[in-house]
Amino acid sequence: MAAWGEPGVQPGSRRGERGVAATIKDVAAAAGVGIATVSRVFSGAGAVSAATRERVLAAARELDYRPSAVGRSLKTRRTGGLGLAVPDVTDPFCAELVAGVLDCARSLGQHVLLDVTLGDPAREAEIAERFAEQRVDGVIALPSGSGEPWSGFVRTGVPLVYAGRRPSGHPEGRQGRGGGGEAARARAGGGVPAVLADDAAGIRSAAEYLVGLGHRRIGFLGAPAPGAPPDAREDAFRAALAALGVPVEEDLVARARPTRDSAYAAAAGLLQRRSDLTAVLASGNLSGEAAVLVARELDLRVPADLSIAMVDDVAWAELCDPPLTAVARPGRDIGYRACELAARDTGRETGRRAPSGPVLLPTDLIVRGSCAPTPIRRDRARH
């Protein structure tokens, strides 16, 4: 780099030009403020008026100033960036959620560390520990099951936001079942912000639609695995049928782990065990896919023999023959809002309070050709 007075650097030229890096002191001088004010603008900590903030940012753009990530990490004892943990990036809903997080992070100048839990609590706990060791600024997580893997991370004080789903057994989501005390609340993620689809409303609309078509023997496919407490979707299914005067037969509730093999086994067991059911409501796209595959293998006509509806309006739902009725959840919006919330908490904007309850985004029932009125006579042979 040329020294001052050498060719290429003229007296009076600004830093940021001709390869001379601008410093925070240069930005402060150009904006007519103190160095501490510039620091507050770029850290997001502390109060700065809108006019002053814009003047500082304009000076930084003019000088092509780039805050030092190394210096910031030494001062804050954090490496920066956001952690993101999802069960499966090939799952269409997870992919949409990831895309939303990345869109938001890019707009905020944040980078994202992505990892996959594969629905394994032990792996999920390892990821949580790794994020804590890497001193990320915040984490967005789509929990696979209980909140136990994240209980240690919560104690670090680093912002954590659940996206798409709260842990099973969450005390605020188990109405009438009790919270189990502070320890249970911590394990289940009590107090952790969440951005969710309004699954209860989506399940209710699908159940009401099927009952309105005359169905009374409706299978629920994809409830939490045996031993796990019912989740919000199973609760909503039971509540919706009860409100409509339709009894819930336990034999029609099929449980599965969040894997394709488990979903397929649950669907096969349900449809072979109960040849008299007329409709299936799948709690997610994995169980919906399994219902379609098993119905095809059992030579069941959809919707003449069996109506199928599912949660998650993924791309392949419209390509099925017939296209599947589905509850659309805004995966990309959930990811974007969760990232905003994690980044906002990271910035310690004390003037804005975190939401006291989950942020609920609306769902839509997309009616297609996979559901029809139940036949007056159904005499289906057992397979």
Side-chain angles (χ1 to χ4, degrees):
M1 181 181 295
W4 189 258
E6 293 181 359
V9 180
Q10 301 299 323
S13 66
R14 297 189 181 189
R15 288 180 180 270
E17 298 175 354
R18 302 182 185 276
V20 181
T23 67
I24 191 172
K25 187 181 297 184
D26 299 320
V27 175
V33 299
I35 292 175
T37 300
V38 178
S39 178
R40 286 197 296 272
V41 169
F42 284 101
S43 69
V48 179
S49 70
T52 300
R53 181 185 300 274
E54 182 54 39
R55 195 161 70 248
V56 169
L57 293 176
R61 287 193 296 270
E62 177 69 19
L63 296 173
D64 196 24
Y65 170 70
R66 296 287 189 274
S68 169
V70 174
R72 185 167 58 247
S73 65
L74 289 173
K75 182 177 180 180
T76 63
R77 301 177 65 85
R78 300 215 166 273
T79 58
L82 299 171
L84 173 59
V86 297
D88 180 5
V89 291
T90 66
D91 176 84
F93 177 78
C94 288
E96 283 293 299
L97 189 147
V98 169
V101 171
L102 294 178
D103 284 347
C104 180
R106 189 177 301 112
S107 71
L108 297 173
Q110 288 272 18
H111 66 273
V112 176
L113 304 175
L114 173 64
D115 214 329
V116 178
T117 67
L118 301 179
D120 180 1
R123 182 183 176 96
E124 197 166 355
E126 290 175 2
I127 292 170
E129 184 176 353
R130 189 178 311 123
F131 283 158
E133 292 173 350
Q134 292 172 328
R135 296 183 177 275
V136 295
D137 286 342
V139 168
I140 300 117
L142 200 167
S144 302
S146 75
E148 185 66 36
W150 297 99
S151 59
F153 187 88
V154 170
R155 291 192 289 270
T156 66
V158 176
L160 170 65
V161 178
Y162 290 132
R165 180 168 61 228
R166 281 196 292 198
S168 58
H170 191 285
E172 294 179 9
R174 311 293 313 125
Q175 297 178 0
R177 296 178 184 267
E182 288 301 318
R185 183 179 179 85
R187 287 194 299 272
V192 176
V195 181
L196 314 168
D198 193 349
D199 284 344
I203 289 285
R204 185 166 57 249
S205 63
E208 290 173 349
Y209 175 64
L210 290 173
V211 171
L213 290 175
H215 297 281
R216 295 296 181 269
R217 292 185 296 278
I218 304 172
F220 185 74
L221 179 59
D231 61 8
R233 297 182 191 179
E234 182 183 346
D235 280 346
F237 174 74
R238 292 175 179 274
L241 291 192
L244 294 167
V246 178
V248 177
E249 300 180 47
E250 294 301 322
D251 201 32
L252 291 179
V253 177
R255 304 188 176 278
R257 295 184 303 279
T259 65
R260 278 186 167 81
D261 288 345
S262 182
Y264 179 87
L270 174 64
L271 293 179
Q272 290 178 321
R273 180 174 67 247
R274 292 296 301 264
S275 61
D276 59 330
L277 65 80
T278 63
V280 167
L281 176 53
S283 69
N285 64 77
L286 283 182
S287 51
E289 176 185 283
V292 171
L293 291 175
V294 172
R296 183 181 302 158
E297 291 174 359
L298 295 178
D299 293 328
L300 299 177
R301 298 167 299 165
V302 177
D305 296 325
L306 181 71
S307 290
I308 299 177
M310 74 174 181
V311 175
D312 285 341
D313 185 28
V314 295
W316 59 260
E318 197 170 6
L319 302 177
C320 284
D321 184 19
L324 285 187
T325 293
V327 175
R329 297 194 298 153
R332 186 178 290 258
D333 289 344
I334 289 173
Y336 198 100
R337 293 286 295 277
C339 183
E340 280 185 326
L341 191 55
R344 186 191 73 189
D345 287 352
T346 295
R348 304 294 190 265
E349 296 180 15
T350 55
R352 300 177 64 183
R353 296 175 61 87
S356 57
V359 177
L360 290 180
L361 302 184
T363 58
D364 291 310
L365 179 65
I366 311 299
V367 175
R368 300 194 180 100
S370 64
C371 298
T374 183
I376 296 176
R377 171 182 171 82
R378 181 175 296 273
D379 186 18
R380 201 173 81 210
R382 291 183 180 270
H383 292 266

